[in-house]
Amino acid sequence: MSSYPQVTFSRTTFHGPSVLKNRKETISRTTVKAQLEQLRNTGRYDCFKLQWHPIYDDHSTWPVPKSLFWDSDVGKWIEGACYSLVHEYDAAIDAAVRELVDMIRSAQQPNGYLNVYFTVVEPQARWSNIRDQHELYNAGHLIEGALAHENYYKNGLLLEPIVKYVKLIRSVFGPDAQQRHAYPGHPEIELALLRLYSETKNQDAYDLAQYFIEERGNSTGQNGMLYYDWEEKQRGDTPWKRPNAYPMSHSHWYNQSHTPILQQKTVEGHAVRAMYLYTAVADLLHLDHVGLHTYKQNHEYFNALQTLWNNMVDKKMYLTGGIGAMEQWEGFGQDYFLPQGSDEGGCYSETCASIGVMMLAERLLHLDLDSRYADVMELQLYNTVMTAMSLDGKAFTYVNQLASSNKDKSARETWFECSCCPPNLMRLYGSLGGYLWDFGQENDSAFVNVHLYTTAQVQFEASGEKVELIQESNWPWGGIVSFKLKSTTPVITRLRIPSWSEGNYKVCLSPPLNDTSVTKGYLTLPASYTSQNPSFIIHFGGFEPRFISPHPYTNQNTLTLARGPIIYCVEDADNTWEKNHFKDITISAKARVLEEKRDCIGESFVGLRSTGRVRRLDTWTGRQAGLEPGSSGEVSALADERELVFVPYYLRANRGDEGHMRVGLVRSS
Amino acid sequence: MSSYPQVTFSRTTFHGPSVLKNRKETISRTTVKAQLEQLRNTGRYDCFKLQWHPIYDDHSTWPVPKSLFWDSDVGKWIEGACYSLVHEYDAAIDAAVRELVDMIRSAQQPNGYLNVYFTVVEPQARWSNIRDQHELYNAGHLIEGALAHENYYKNGLLLEPIVKYVKLIRSVFGPDAQQRHAYPGHPEIELALLRLYSETKNQDAYDLAQYFIEERGNSTGQNGMLYYDWEEKQRGDTPWKRPNAYPMSHSHWYNQSHTPILQQKTVEGHAVRAMYLYTAVADLLHLDHVGLHTYKQNHEYFNALQTLWNNMVDKKMYLTGGIGAMEQWEGFGQDYFLPQGSDEGGCYSETCASIGVMMLAERLLHLDLDSRYADVMELQLYNTVMTAMSLDGKAFTYVNQLASSNKDKSARETWFECSCCPPNLMRLYGSLGGYLWDFGQENDSAFVNVHLYTTAQVQFEASGEKVELIQESNWPWGGIVSFKLKSTTPVITRLRIPSWSEGNYKVCLSPPLNDTSVTKGYLTLPASYTSQNPSFIIHFGGFEPRFISPHPYTNQNTLTLARGPIIYCVEDADNTWEKNHFKDITISAKARVLEEKRDCIGESFVGLRSTGRVRRLDTWTGRQAGLEPGSSGEVSALADERELVFVPYYLRANRGDEGHMRVGLVRSS
């Protein structure tokens, strides 16, 4: 049975009300069509007709012409649309997918090549700039689109040309002397190829993915040089010519090719590239794990992923789950460099990067069932990922700063020139059911590992018998989750204990469970038990508001309110007096916090209310610190009290305010 | 009478013991010779012989070949050596200067051209890369060297070829159709030309400096383009080819050419370039002020300088006086972005940049007698500038971080490949007397404006009479300064009130002075008064230890000890238990601080002693902040007490320790 959320999601139904169900429905009913409209309006929809488009005359950007990603936008839309069709049929969506697939088929070249830009605009430049020009990235998204298409339509119309294209790519890249010893500048195709292999046993796909992963960062891979340096030389480019995302010459860490993956100790560079790459590495290990292939370096790569994951989570992740402080390369800064906003040193926290963390966490859970991955997956989902789409499903964020500034207000856009994030949200929410739980056969039993709580049910078969597990809860607002298991075959159930409720949960079972020890954050209910107690309830604490703060080495002396998996912020929609992005609002960890049930655009949530004080900076005006008279050990004086209204970070910028917002407030004593 | 410290310093004698006298003597007796040795060992000494040197075969760097600045190193050494000769004759130094001047003369081309690299290595590339290749910068330092040489030798041997070279440069650059409408990539020649004009009335020099200043940042100056963009095109370079110091294409703010100076509202880019440029602007205004020239845009440029100065001092200056957080472009970051070390986001604080601040402050004092310039000048001198040279005068720092890290320990070098800082220290200390005070004729009186306190005397003539002012003090350790005036002509004396002693000083005079009001930080003793009271004492408070902290918007929740003009640090030479760069040492503003008289390598100073506590970060290990359970409003627990020994920041890295050092300690309550 496939374990990919992109496949398994169809086994899950969101049968009752929840925040997640709302998002899924918004995607299906609004976002898929709104984005189709964007594809049509911008020229992307028709691009596979291979006609000239005025944007192709724009040579103002290098190395990425403005239309370079168009194939991927179409591929991602097809993928998301197919997930949506599974849930809810829509004739217009169906017709658009069919037309797009026809156009894609017609665009394929006799040798199998399939890329709009390098067919229409610069055919002579094919495969000449693997580092920057996204040919393989686009191919990856076409593969993922084809897999989703095949799952829904089962007619081979997209898969067939894509497999032909993969065969061509496999002939171009590889270890043989006449092949290019390259690997994608923007990883993506690796994870797509492994899924293709997993679904179709296409050996080209597996070998190519493995080659890309193992060859990456080989400093003498091509004619004694790093491939990208060799390639640059072939193009006649000087090493001093470089993309804007490369702060210095040869900043190959930008795309994680500075050293082989096994030698990488810290997550560096472009965050989305890193997440897509490491997701593929995890999947390579997983395919070995489930016996689909024998991968010899299992242990080493697993250790590398552990090191990278820990570095990311412990030192380079915002408390909203966001990753990437640096705008220039859309990626990671130094350890503990996590300013809240772009006026304080940087805060990028791209939507796609957090989707990538979810993808990586999901794969890691299959290698190592440990709640630390699922905890982070949930943190991403309810915070950085969820804040990226407006409640109406029509507007998006690309970056997800923790504090606004005059330069970067808290605001949304309907589309972006580089529009990777909106269709990525379609894909993520479309396949969301697949992230809730894993399930399958384990020795003589079925099993369900429950990662995320909500109201949903899953159905699958084990030992030829139907298994159904239903969970119902008011998550993320309340911690009571009731389960009902319907199965004639024994089922082991494992329940994630969120770290923020650690030591603060109880399972309501009668008779009581003997062994309630928790292994790596999961509580196991043995098959013998659940067959006796098909209904059980788990009650999690941790739903009282709590103050959290980032690691002291971040130099962020701030407090943030959290409750369950939800991170809160203040914004001027509620706190209308604020005109300076809450820069001068302080709060004490001793402040009393009140909860209130609220409603926003038809969706209820738990709001919080507390009291802070304004810090007065008058005394600082015009005086260089080293020159101050007297002993000025005082933190700035605190003046007026302010009532503070907090809403979930995911709700920000939905209510037409001026865009003042902040997650972490200055701590006062 | 010239007002340039490079000229007036010779009127000042450091007649009694002081920290400043120690430094000056170390420079004269050790540093000048040590650096001469470096010139000889590296090939710089002989470079004007125009022979091939193996370094010219090194093409690994672009756009700056490793020998590109050699002319300036020689020029700066000659300048510093000539200042030293004024104080103390040394036959070996004298001989070296003479030989170097002979070589420079012999290197001049028939048309007046005078640059080693572009004569020996790439003669065809002359004037082809004004943005990056330092031809004009080198010329500037040769001019400054020639002025110092002429003041001492008065034989025209260096000035004569330099004036010829200036004439050539004047013909190449300017507004005429056949001239290049360019301005130096690294400003320096502007301030040198204005001094040349001031000393010699060379009109070419004035016109060229004015042109360079006014043309800078003209977005349509050359064939409708910014000069540097046009020039790049002429070279056949793509806009995507750029120096490593340019983070993105067209980061022209790097050298302050992104917009005309009058439109610049914030200090940006390379800090040394900015300081040299604005010093020249201030001098252009000053030449107008003293009637040497009529400069029409006086007021506008003065306002621009005010805006830039305020931005720098209020928002981009460390409390040591250091400027420039960003290593990549050796310059300014965003407002309030002032991390203490390179592992916290950056701290560059280049030595030359602080020398540049002193130069700019000194010029501004002539336009606007306001202690805020002199306060910053003194802050630089005793902290960032003084920390840049070891007490033995043989080792230097280039960057002056406020906190060390494993990557960048607190350490010194004897020389640098790009060795701008060591000879700049020679120049600064050599002309230091010129920064202590201004003096001259003012209507019917003489005047002395005293900016810096120490033990020194100045002699000058006013109305044909000799004026002598003597100050004696234990500065920077104690605040009692006694003055003795010897003059037969009336003398107005103005005394700077340091901002840290504000409201906390007294003048001991009998009979008392009637009007003790302070104007812009200066107390005026009228001529009528000083003629009656030629001896007077001023007693400044502010010499008790005080805690200071950077602006809250820096997100640096730290406390630093200061006393008088001295900023203190902790280092492991005294606190030998420290192994983590004092990252986890906290201190409270309520902590008791003790003073102790100490001695380091024969120089006495006031040390400080206090008590801090170690913060414990055990609870943070391996837990992502957003996932913490419970209400974690606590700052990390504080554990063991530590006795902390503080020394002046300028003393750091003199005692062979492991290089752990920090200026700002985490604040505890």
Side-chain angles (χ1 to χ4, degrees):
Chain A
M1 189 187 305
S2 173
S3 74
Y4 295 101
Q6 294 93 337
V7 178
T8 63
F9 77 91
S10 63
R11 309 301 186 94
T12 294
T13 313
F14 290 80
H15 66 280
S18 71
V19 174
L20 300 185
K21 185 175 202 279
N22 289 353
R23 290 301 169 281
K24 283 188 66 66
E25 288 181 356
T26 303
I27 289 278
S28 290
R29 293 174 189 170
T30 303
T31 313
V32 176
K33 283 182 189 163
Q35 293 195 20
L36 177 59
E37 199 59 24
Q38 293 288 356
L39 293 185
R40 291 196 206 270
N41 294 343
T42 56
R44 285 162 169 86
Y45 189 86
D46 291 315
C47 73
F48 282 98
K49 285 181 180 161
L50 306 183
Q51 304 299 303
W52 195 261
H53 186 281
I55 206 170
Y56 303 154
D57 293 315
D58 183 336
H59 302 295
S60 65
T61 56
W62 177 88
V64 178
K66 288 178 177 161
S67 67
L68 194 70
F69 318 108
W70 279 13
D71 309 40
S72 75
D73 295 331
V74 171
K76 286 160 85 175
W77 185 85
I78 290 175
E79 184 186 348
C82 289
Y83 298 155
S84 181
L85 286 168
V86 170
H87 291 298
E88 199 163 341
Y89 180 76
D90 182 293
I93 302 296
D94 178 27
V97 173
R98 289 174 191 272
E99 187 175 38
L100 282 168
V101 168
D102 283 348
M103 290 191 280
I104 292 171
R105 290 176 61 86
S106 74
Q108 189 162 41
Q109 303 300 295
N111 69 347
Y113 190 77
L114 188 46
N115 177 294
V116 175
Y117 184 84
F118 291 103
T119 299
V120 179
V121 190
E122 285 199 271
Q124 75 291 353
R126 281 178 200 172
W127 312 128
S128 69
N129 190 342
I130 304 299
R131 185 187 73 187
D132 306 320
Q133 292 196 322
H134 294 71
E135 252 168 315
L136 292 169
Y137 170 87
N138 281 323
H141 278 301
L142 289 178
I143 295 168
E144 292 205 90
L147 288 169
H149 181 270
E150 186 63 18
N151 268 349
Y152 181 71
Y153 288 96
K154 301 191 169 48
N155 61 11
L157 283 177
L158 189 50
L159 194 58
E160 180 255 335
I162 294 307
V163 166
K164 193 172 165 195
Y165 188 24
V166 167
K167 196 176 171 66
L168 170 70
I169 298 172
R170 178 75 187 101
S171 73
V172 174
F173 298 92
D176 293 350
Q178 81 290 355
Q179 286 179 306
R180 287 169 194 266
H181 309 327
Y183 30 83
H186 194 316
E188 149 64 23
I189 195 171
E190 299 90 331
L191 70 87
L193 288 167
L194 292 174
R195 282 218 288 129
L196 177 62
Y197 167 74
S198 172
E199 303 298 323
T200 69
K201 304 294 163 297
N202 181 317
Q203 192 62 39
D204 276 348
Y206 183 92
D207 294 345
L208 191 52
Q210 184 182 357
Y211 180 75
F212 284 152
I213 288 169
E214 294 191 347
E215 182 63 16
R216 192 167 204 90
N218 179 348
S219 63
T220 57
Q222 183 80 46
N223 298 41
M225 301 170 78
L226 188 84
Y227 182 82
Y228 296 146
D229 291 336
W230 175 84
E231 176 191 71
E232 178 180 83
K233 216 168 157 185
Q234 296 303 111
R235 290 194 304 269
D237 283 347
T238 150
W240 311 105
K241 178 182 175 190
R242 62 193 198 275
N244 269 339
Y246 273 54
M248 309 265 258
S249 283
H250 298 115
S251 297
H252 292 310
W253 48 261
Y254 169 66
N255 62 21
Q256 300 84 40
S257 66
H258 54 303
T259 191
I261 294 168
L262 288 175
Q263 267 85 67
Q264 295 178 18
K265 304 295 179 209
T266 55
V267 287
E268 301 296 340
H270 190 274
V272 179
R273 297 177 197 228
M275 291 306 99
Y276 285 9
L277 175 64
Y278 302 140
T279 297
V281 176
D283 200 32
L284 196 64
L285 295 172
H286 168 252
L287 291 176
D288 178 27
H289 194 64
V290 298
L292 263 180
H293 214 275
T294 304
Y295 190 66
K296 300 296 179 204
Q297 290 179 288
N298 190 327
H299 189 64
E300 262 187 299
Y301 273 101
F302 183 71
N303 289 347
L305 287 181
Q306 291 293 306
T307 301
L308 291 163
W309 175 270
N310 290 340
N311 175 248
M312 177 174 77
V313 173
D314 295 346
K315 300 182 181 173
K316 298 192 175 186
M317 185 176 280
Y318 286 98
L319 37 68
T320 54
I323 54 172
M326 310 306 290
E327 179 179 11
Q328 186 179 359
W329 53 88
E330 307 188 299
F332 299 103
Q334 292 175 294
D335 286 354
Y336 299 116
F337 187 76
L338 294 165
Q340 289 198 89
S342 56
D343 67 337
E344 296 174 20
C347 181
Y348 203 70
S349 183
E350 184 180 337
T351 302
C352 288
S354 280
I355 292 174
V357 177
M358 288 186 68
M359 291 163 60
L360 173 58
E362 193 280 332
R363 285 293 87 186
L364 286 168
L365 283 167
H366 289 276
L367 290 174
D368 178 24
L369 186 69
D370 189 324
S371 66
R372 65 204 182 99
Y373 309 119
D375 284 346
V376 168
M377 193 166 82
E378 186 180 62
L379 183 72
Q380 303 291 345
L381 174 61
Y382 282 104
N383 299 287
T384 302
V385 172
M386 200 170 284
T387 204
M389 186 173 79
S390 61
L391 290 187
D392 70 5
K394 292 177 182 168
F396 308 92
T397 58
Y398 194 109
V399 304
N400 299 289
Q401 56 193 357
L402 275 68
S404 58
S405 59
N406 285 340
K407 180 177 160 279
D408 291 305
K409 298 202 168 176
S410 186
R412 302 182 177 282
E413 305 285 337
T414 53
W415 193 248
F416 305 91
E417 190 174 280
C418 167
S419 219
C420 48
C421 301
N424 235 353
L425 288 164
M426 272 177 60
R427 304 197 308 156
L428 187 274
Y429 283 119
S431 57
L432 187 61
Y435 289 84
L436 302 189
W437 28 35
D438 299 321
F439 46 84
Q441 180 87 33
E442 185 176 294
N443 304 323
D444 294 336
S445 301
F447 76 91
V448 187
N449 301 333
V450 185
H451 307 310
L452 300 178
Y453 301 108
T454 182
T455 292
Q457 60 189 66
V458 64
Q459 288 186 342
F460 62 97
E461 289 191 4
S463 317
E465 301 287 325
K466 206 176 107 180
V467 179
E468 183 177 302
L469 182 66
I470 302 168
Q471 60 162 310
E472 291 189 350
S473 73
N474 186 28
W475 210 270
W477 313 118
I480 301 171
V481 191
S482 14
F483 285 90
K484 195 171 290 174
L485 184 64
K486 297 180 187 168
S487 174
T488 49
T489 193
V491 182
I492 302 165
T493 310
R494 297 187 186 88
L495 304 176
R496 166 183 155 249
I497 311 300
S499 60
W500 39 264
S501 75
E502 220 169 71
N504 189 8
Y505 67 93
K506 59 178 187 224
V507 194
C508 305
L509 290 169
S510 61
L513 180 65
N514 288 329
D515 178 10
T516 55
S517 64
V518 171
T519 307
K520 289 186 170 184
Y522 283 81
L523 173 74
T524 301
L525 308 183
S528 59
Y529 197 92
T530 56
S531 57
Q532 295 295 316
N533 302 277
S535 289
F536 51 90
I537 293 174
I538 185 161
H539 189 157
F540 295 103
F543 285 84
E544 58 288 354
R546 65 189 191 277
F547 280 110
I548 57 175
S549 28
H551 192 285
Y553 286 173
T554 62
N555 289 341
Q556 298 288 322
N557 188 35
T558 55
L559 288 172
T560 292
L561 274 172
R563 183 183 180 281
I566 301 291
I567 307 295
Y568 285 76
C569 71
V570 280
E571 61 172 1
D572 60 337
D574 303 291
N575 307 280
T576 52
W577 40 266
E578 178 57 28
K579 306 293 172 213
N580 191 28
H581 308 281
F582 301 93
K583 246 181 144 71
D584 297 322
I585 304 302
T586 71
I587 195 162
S588 161
K590 298 169 202 144
R592 201 167 152 220
V593 184
L594 301 175
E595 299 187 359
E596 54 184 351
K597 210 181 155 202
R598 293 182 61 188
D599 195 272
C600 178
I601 315 178
E603 187 173 290
S604 67
F605 66 94
V606 176
L608 302 177
R609 205 173 271 269
S610 189
T611 307
R613 293 184 75 184
V614 184
R615 67 174 169 189
R616 293 194 52 182
L617 299 176
D618 325 18
T619 52
W620 291 88
T621 312
R623 172 81 74 187
Q624 209 281 339
L627 301 173
E628 273 181 35
S631 194
S632 76
E634 291 305 300
V635 191
S636 317
L638 296 179
D640 306 353
E641 283 202 346
R642 294 280 189 205
E643 181 169 46
L644 298 172
V645 178
F646 294 81
V647 297
Y649 176 60
Y650 74 68
L651 267 187
R652 73 181 171 110
N654 263 298
R655 296 172 294 167
D657 48 60
E658 293 294 312
H660 296 257
M661 185 276 303
R662 186 166 295 258
V663 170
L665 299 178
V666 174
R667 179 201 300 265
S668 64
S669 53
Chain B
M1 191 187 303
S2 173
S3 75
Y4 295 103
Q6 294 93 337
V7 177
T8 62
F9 78 90
S10 63
R11 308 301 186 95
T12 293
T13 313
F14 290 80
H15 66 282
S18 71
V19 174
L20 301 185
K21 184 175 204 280
N22 289 354
R23 290 301 168 283
K24 284 187 67 66
E25 287 181 356
T26 303
I27 289 276
S28 290
R29 293 175 189 168
T30 303
T31 313
V32 176
K33 282 181 190 165
Q35 293 195 20
L36 176 59
E37 199 57 25
Q38 293 288 355
L39 293 185
R40 291 196 206 270
N41 294 344
T42 57
R44 285 162 168 87
Y45 189 85
D46 291 316
C47 72
F48 281 98
K49 285 182 180 161
L50 306 182
Q51 305 297 305
W52 195 261
H53 187 281
I55 206 171
Y56 302 155
D57 293 316
D58 183 336
H59 302 294
S60 64
T61 57
W62 176 88
V64 179
K66 287 178 179 161
S67 67
L68 195 70
F69 317 108
W70 280 12
D71 310 39
S72 75
D73 296 330
V74 171
K76 285 160 85 175
W77 186 84
I78 291 174
E79 185 186 347
C82 290
Y83 298 154
S84 180
L85 287 168
V86 170
H87 291 297
E88 200 164 341
Y89 180 76
D90 182 294
I93 301 296
D94 177 28
V97 173
R98 290 174 190 271
E99 186 175 38
L100 282 169
V101 168
D102 283 349
M103 290 191 280
I104 292 171
R105 291 176 61 87
S106 74
Q108 188 162 41
Q109 303 298 296
N111 69 347
Y113 190 76
L114 187 46
N115 177 294
V116 174
Y117 184 84
F118 291 103
T119 299
V120 179
V121 190
E122 285 200 90
Q124 76 290 354
R126 282 178 200 172
W127 312 128
S128 70
N129 190 342
I130 303 300
R131 185 187 72 186
D132 306 319
Q133 292 196 323
H134 295 70
E135 252 167 317
L136 292 169
Y137 170 86
N138 281 323
H141 278 302
L142 289 178
I143 295 168
E144 292 205 272
L147 288 169
H149 181 271
E150 186 62 18
N151 268 349
Y152 180 71
Y153 288 95
K154 302 192 168 46
N155 62 10
L157 283 177
L158 189 51
L159 194 58
E160 180 256 336
I162 294 307
V163 166
K164 191 171 167 196
Y165 188 25
V166 168
K167 196 176 169 66
L168 171 70
I169 298 172
R170 178 73 188 104
S171 73
V172 174
F173 298 92
D176 292 351
Q178 82 289 356
Q179 287 178 306
R180 287 168 193 266
H181 308 328
Y183 30 83
H186 193 316
E188 149 63 25
I189 194 171
E190 299 91 330
L191 70 86
L193 288 167
L194 291 174
R195 283 217 286 129
L196 177 62
Y197 167 74
S198 173
E199 303 297 323
T200 68
K201 305 294 166 294
N202 181 317
Q203 193 62 39
D204 276 347
Y206 183 92
D207 294 345
L208 191 52
Q210 184 182 358
Y211 180 75
F212 283 151
I213 288 170
E214 293 191 346
E215 182 63 17
R216 190 166 205 91
N218 179 348
S219 63
T220 57
Q222 182 81 44
N223 299 42
M225 302 170 78
L226 188 85
Y227 182 82
Y228 297 145
D229 291 338
W230 175 83
E231 176 192 69
E232 178 179 82
K233 216 168 157 185
Q234 295 303 111
R235 288 194 304 268
D237 283 347
T238 151
W240 312 105
K241 179 183 175 190
R242 62 193 197 275
N244 269 340
Y246 272 55
M248 309 266 258
S249 285
H250 298 115
S251 298
H252 292 308
W253 48 261
Y254 168 66
N255 60 23
Q256 301 85 39
S257 65
H258 54 303
T259 192
I261 293 168
L262 287 176
Q263 268 86 66
Q264 296 179 18
K265 304 296 179 207
T266 54
V267 286
E268 301 295 341
H270 191 274
V272 179
R273 296 176 198 229
M275 291 307 99
Y276 286 9
L277 175 63
Y278 303 140
T279 298
V281 176
D283 200 33
L284 195 63
L285 295 172
H286 167 253
L287 291 176
D288 179 25
H289 194 63
V290 297
L292 264 178
H293 215 276
T294 304
Y295 191 64
K296 300 296 179 203
Q297 291 180 285
N298 190 327
H299 188 65
E300 262 188 299
Y301 273 100
F302 183 71
N303 289 347
L305 287 182
Q306 290 293 306
T307 301
L308 292 162
W309 175 270
N310 290 341
N311 175 248
M312 175 174 79
V313 173
D314 296 346
K315 301 182 180 172
K316 298 192 174 186
M317 185 176 281
Y318 286 98
L319 38 67
T320 54
I323 54 172
M326 310 306 289
E327 180 180 10
Q328 186 179 359
W329 53 87
E330 306 186 300
F332 298 103
Q334 292 175 294
D335 285 354
Y336 299 115
F337 186 77
L338 294 166
Q340 289 198 88
S342 57
D343 67 338
E344 296 174 20
C347 181
Y348 203 70
S349 185
E350 186 181 337
T351 303
C352 289
S354 281
I355 292 174
V357 176
M358 289 186 68
M359 290 162 60
L360 173 57
E362 193 280 331
R363 286 293 87 188
L364 286 167
L365 283 167
H366 289 277
L367 289 173
D368 178 22
L369 186 69
D370 189 323
S371 66
R372 64 207 183 98
Y373 309 119
D375 285 345
V376 167
M377 193 166 82
E378 186 181 61
L379 184 72
Q380 302 291 344
L381 174 61
Y382 281 105
N383 300 287
T384 302
V385 172
M386 201 171 284
T387 205
M389 185 173 79
S390 61
L391 290 188
D392 70 5
K394 293 177 181 168
F396 309 93
T397 58
Y398 193 108
V399 305
N400 299 289
Q401 56 192 356
L402 275 68
S404 58
S405 60
N406 285 340
K407 181 176 158 283
D408 291 305
K409 297 202 168 175
S410 186
R412 302 182 178 281
E413 305 285 338
T414 52
W415 193 248
F416 306 93
E417 189 173 281
C418 167
S419 218
C420 49
C421 301
N424 235 352
L425 288 165
M426 270 177 60
R427 302 197 309 155
L428 187 276
Y429 284 119
S431 58
L432 186 60
Y435 289 84
L436 302 190
W437 30 35
D438 299 321
F439 47 84
Q441 180 88 34
E442 188 177 292
N443 303 323
D444 294 334
S445 301
F447 75 92
V448 186
N449 302 332
V450 185
H451 307 310
L452 301 179
Y453 300 107
T454 183
T455 293
Q457 60 190 66
V458 63
Q459 288 185 342
F460 62 98
E461 287 190 7
S463 314
E465 302 286 325
K466 208 176 109 182
V467 179
E468 182 176 304
L469 183 65
I470 301 168
Q471 59 161 311
E472 292 190 350
S473 74
N474 186 30
W475 209 270
W477 312 119
I480 302 171
V481 191
S482 13
F483 285 89
K484 196 169 291 173
L485 185 64
K486 296 180 191 171
S487 174
T488 51
T489 193
V491 182
I492 302 165
T493 310
R494 298 187 186 87
L495 303 177
R496 167 183 154 248
I497 312 299
S499 60
W500 39 263
S501 76
E502 219 169 72
N504 189 8
Y505 67 92
K506 59 177 186 229
V507 193
C508 305
L509 289 170
S510 61
L513 179 66
N514 289 329
D515 179 9
T516 56
S517 64
V518 171
T519 307
K520 289 185 169 186
Y522 283 81
L523 173 74
T524 301
L525 308 184
S528 58
Y529 196 90
T530 55
S531 58
Q532 295 295 315
N533 302 276
S535 289
F536 50 90
I537 292 174
I538 185 160
H539 189 156
F540 295 105
F543 284 85
E544 59 287 354
R546 65 189 190 276
F547 280 110
I548 58 175
S549 29
H551 193 284
Y553 286 173
T554 61
N555 289 341
Q556 298 288 322
N557 189 36
T558 56
L559 288 172
T560 292
L561 274 172
R563 184 182 180 282
I566 301 291
I567 307 297
Y568 285 76
C569 71
V570 279
E571 62 172 1
D572 60 337
D574 304 291
N575 306 281
T576 52
W577 40 266
E578 179 58 28
K579 306 292 172 212
N580 191 27
H581 307 281
F582 301 93
K583 244 181 144 72
D584 297 323
I585 304 303
T586 72
I587 195 164
S588 162
K590 298 171 202 141
R592 199 167 153 222
V593 183
L594 302 176
E595 300 187 359
E596 54 185 349
K597 209 180 157 204
R598 292 183 61 190
D599 195 274
C600 177
I601 316 180
E603 188 173 289
S604 66
F605 66 94
V606 175
L608 301 178
R609 204 173 274 269
S610 188
T611 307
R613 292 184 75 184
V614 184
R615 68 174 168 189
R616 294 193 51 180
L617 298 176
D618 326 16
T619 53
W620 292 89
T621 311
R623 173 81 74 185
Q624 208 281 339
L627 301 172
E628 273 181 34
S631 195
S632 76
E634 291 305 301
V635 192
S636 315
L638 296 179
D640 306 352
E641 282 201 347
R642 292 279 188 207
E643 180 170 46
L644 298 171
V645 177
F646 294 81
V647 297
Y649 176 61
Y650 73 67
L651 267 188
R652 73 183 172 108
N654 263 297
R655 295 172 294 167
D657 49 60
E658 292 294 312
H660 296 258
M661 186 277 303
R662 187 165 295 258
V663 169
L665 299 178
V666 173
R667 180 201 299 265
S668 66
S669 54

